[in-house]
Amino acid sequence: MARTGENIYKRKDGRWEGRFIKGRRKDGKAHYGVVYARSYQDVKKRLEDAKKNEERRKRIASAGSVAEIGDRWLAEASGTLKASSVNKYDDLLRCYILPEFGEHNFSEITNKNVMEFTSTLLLKGGSNRQGLAASTVAEIISTMNSIRLYAMKQEYTVAFSPECVKLKSDQKDIRVFSLEEQNSLLEYIKNNMDLTGLGILVCLFTGIRVGELCALRWDDVNMEERKMQVKCTMQRIRVHGSSKRKTAVRISEPKSSCSIRTVPLPAAIMGVLEEYYTPGTFLLTCDEKRFVEPRTMQNRFKSILSSCNIMDANFHTTRHTFATRCIELGFDVKCLSEILGHANVTITMNRYVHPSMDLKSENMNRLSGLLGAK
């Protein structure tokens, strides 16, 4: 056979033959793959395709299971993520992704697999098989995509893309206290003032989050300049490496730098703050070491709502209510966005500002003057 120097030969029967090394036997000798064609150009093309397919097969074989790739991704990502984020991704892996794909070779997961998985989560996902919210499913698929990007960086073959899934996220109605509910709550707090009531009052008039409130210390409050520094948040998170899955309270910086901010304090609450002002302690306990964690504050808040005969609400309702009242009073949106600790105004408008029906009616009634216009 004539040889071209590319492991391509012309056989005596007129066909062209191309060879490539597929691997090595135990004795070290090469194991070849072979392709044939009627012309040199055709066999060269087939040889290139065969080599690519063989490389792909080897990468698939070496990629490992979804469980292995997922563990390696999370271990690498943990160096730059907050502990709460690591816990969230670990939960999404452990509860949803690994039960479905854990033993599968990562490179063999297809778009069809991901689409079927998404449908199952929406229809039958969750501990009670009640189906998961679209927002939760979106987080699960986003986590799979993060693992996918990690795998691609390692040059493993990936056969799926998150674009195969289209999720419609329904906008939930967000609870905001009506003026009557807010006045009722404020009246109860004034008549039963304690440190818990003080904390709720601060949130209603500053919009800070419950985790930020629980981490707040009196040293963060500047009484003379009527402002406070929001620079920490408190969370209860799961401690990794424990067979009993113990949890612990952690005080750390917020996720984003925008959440670290200075918030002006309205004059209306300064008198109450002065009564309890105790430098060197947590605001909610007036104690140096003892604190109130977010879950406890949430329970106390719900108990107070029940005492006021106010419909049940999450503590975060104080933040929604603060933002809504500010807009109703004509606050500059950029100013409000910075007080809330948002990265941009769009987040403030879309997520936290919910005009009341009275305000909508007032705006619509401005059109009435047009009826008499000539």
Side-chain angles (χ1 to χ4, degrees):
M1 291 187 293
R3 183 171 179 174
T4 68
E6 304 170 287
N7 250 4
I8 297 177
Y9 308 85
K10 187 168 185 180
R11 296 163 53 94
K12 292 180 178 180
D13 61 6
R15 291 185 300 166
W16 288 84
E17 175 183 316
R19 290 187 176 189
F20 64 97
I21 298 176
K22 295 184 70 173
R24 298 280 177 180
R25 296 187 174 90
K26 291 182 179 180
D27 60 5
K29 292 183 178 180
H31 169 55
Y32 289 92
V34 183
V35 296
Y36 302 97
R38 289 293 181 186
S39 70
Y40 167 75
Q41 292 298 332
D42 286 346
V43 81
K44 184 176 181 179
K45 176 68 168 58
R46 289 185 184 182
L47 186 60
E48 290 173 354
D49 291 343
K51 287 179 178 178
K52 289 179 182 178
N53 289 335
E54 182 61 21
E55 285 298 317
R56 179 178 179 277
R57 186 192 67 78
K58 288 179 180 179
R59 285 198 297 272
I60 290 176
S62 63
S65 67
V66 173
E68 292 169 340
I69 301 296
D71 284 346
R72 295 206 291 271
W73 162 74
L74 189 57
E76 181 177 294
S78 296
T80 57
L81 294 174
K82 291 176 66 67
S84 56
S85 296
V86 174
N87 273 348
K88 181 186 77 170
Y89 291 128
D90 182 64
D91 287 342
L92 294 176
L93 275 167
R94 179 171 46 81
C95 297
Y96 303 110
I97 298 172
L98 297 188
E100 179 72 17
F101 297 120
E103 299 304 316
H104 289 63
N105 188 293
F106 189 86
S107 297
E108 294 177 342
I109 305 299
T110 65
N111 283 344
K112 182 180 179 182
N113 296 144
V114 176
M115 292 167 69
E116 291 175 348
F117 178 49
T118 301
S119 296
T120 300
L121 291 174
L122 290 169
L123 296 174
K124 298 184 290 185
S127 56
N128 298 321
R129 299 178 66 80
Q130 75 281 7
L132 298 175
S135 57
T136 302
V137 177
E139 283 194 331
I140 295 169
I141 300 303
S142 176
T143 302
M144 288 190 67
N145 186 45
S146 295
I147 302 172
R148 165 183 169 270
L149 294 174
Y150 168 81
M152 292 173 67
K153 189 172 69 173
Q154 303 302 314
E155 297 187 348
Y156 296 137
T157 297
V158 175
F160 75 91
S161 170
E163 281 74 23
C164 70
V165 175
K166 301 295 181 184
L167 289 167
K168 289 185 178 179
S169 183
D170 296 328
Q171 187 71 32
K172 290 183 178 180
D173 290 333
I174 297 178
R175 179 89 159 90
V176 175
F177 289 133
S178 66
L179 282 172
E180 291 75 16
E181 288 176 322
Q182 186 171 354
N183 289 334
S184 177
L185 178 57
L186 290 173
E187 187 66 25
Y188 179 90
I189 290 173
K190 284 190 287 185
N191 293 332
N192 301 273
M193 182 59 71
D194 58 9
L195 289 169
T196 296
L198 175 66
I200 297 172
L201 192 67
V202 168
C203 289
L204 283 170
F205 281 86
T206 64
I208 64 173
R209 304 172 178 91
V210 65
E212 295 168 339
L213 170 68
C214 292
L216 195 65
R217 302 182 73 95
W218 281 109
D219 289 344
D220 299 322
V221 181
N222 188 321
M223 300 297 291
E224 292 184 2
E225 297 183 15
R226 293 185 179 179
K227 63 184 181 182
M228 68 181 183
Q229 283 281 102
V230 180
K231 55 188 179 183
C232 292
T233 189
M234 182 185 293
Q235 294 174 296
R236 176 172 286 279
I237 61 175
R238 183 158 42 84
V239 178
H240 287 269
S242 172
S243 59
K244 297 181 180 179
R245 293 186 63 198
K246 294 180 179 178
T247 61
V249 172
R250 294 283 185 265
I251 298 176
S252 60
E253 287 188 355
K255 277 187 178 181
S256 66
S257 59
C258 299
S259 292
I260 300 174
R261 61 201 187 276
T262 300
V263 179
L265 295 169
I269 66 171
M270 293 306 300
V272 183
L273 290 173
E274 287 172 358
E275 289 182 28
Y276 289 92
Y277 184 65
T278 312
T281 67
F282 283 100
L283 184 139
L284 289 178
T285 62
C286 288
D287 187 276
E288 290 183 13
K289 297 182 179 179
R290 187 170 54 87
F291 54 78
V292 176
E293 66 173 288
R295 183 169 53 185
T296 300
M297 194 63 188
Q298 179 78 262
N299 293 336
R300 292 179 182 179
F301 178 69
K302 287 178 175 288
S303 178
I304 290 175
L305 292 184
S306 178
S307 298
C308 298
N309 294 317
I310 296 175
M311 187 175 66
D312 186 53
N314 188 283
F315 196 96
H316 208 67
T317 301
T318 60
R319 183 168 167 86
H320 296 313
T321 302
F322 168 78
T324 302
R325 292 291 100 86
C326 288
I327 289 297
E328 291 172 350
L329 291 169
F331 267 52
D332 173 74
V333 179
K334 176 62 176 174
C335 174
L336 175 59
S337 179
E338 292 185 2
I339 289 173
L340 290 171
H342 290 157
N344 55 64
V345 173
T346 303
I347 297 174
T348 308
M349 295 300 295
N350 291 344
R351 188 180 300 173
Y352 291 104
V353 180
H354 320 283
S356 67
M357 184 55 68
D358 287 342
L359 183 60
K360 292 176 183 177
S361 297
E362 180 184 331
N363 286 328
M364 292 296 285
N365 283 332
R366 294 177 183 177
L367 297 172
S368 298
L370 296 176
L371 188 61
K374 294 182 180 180

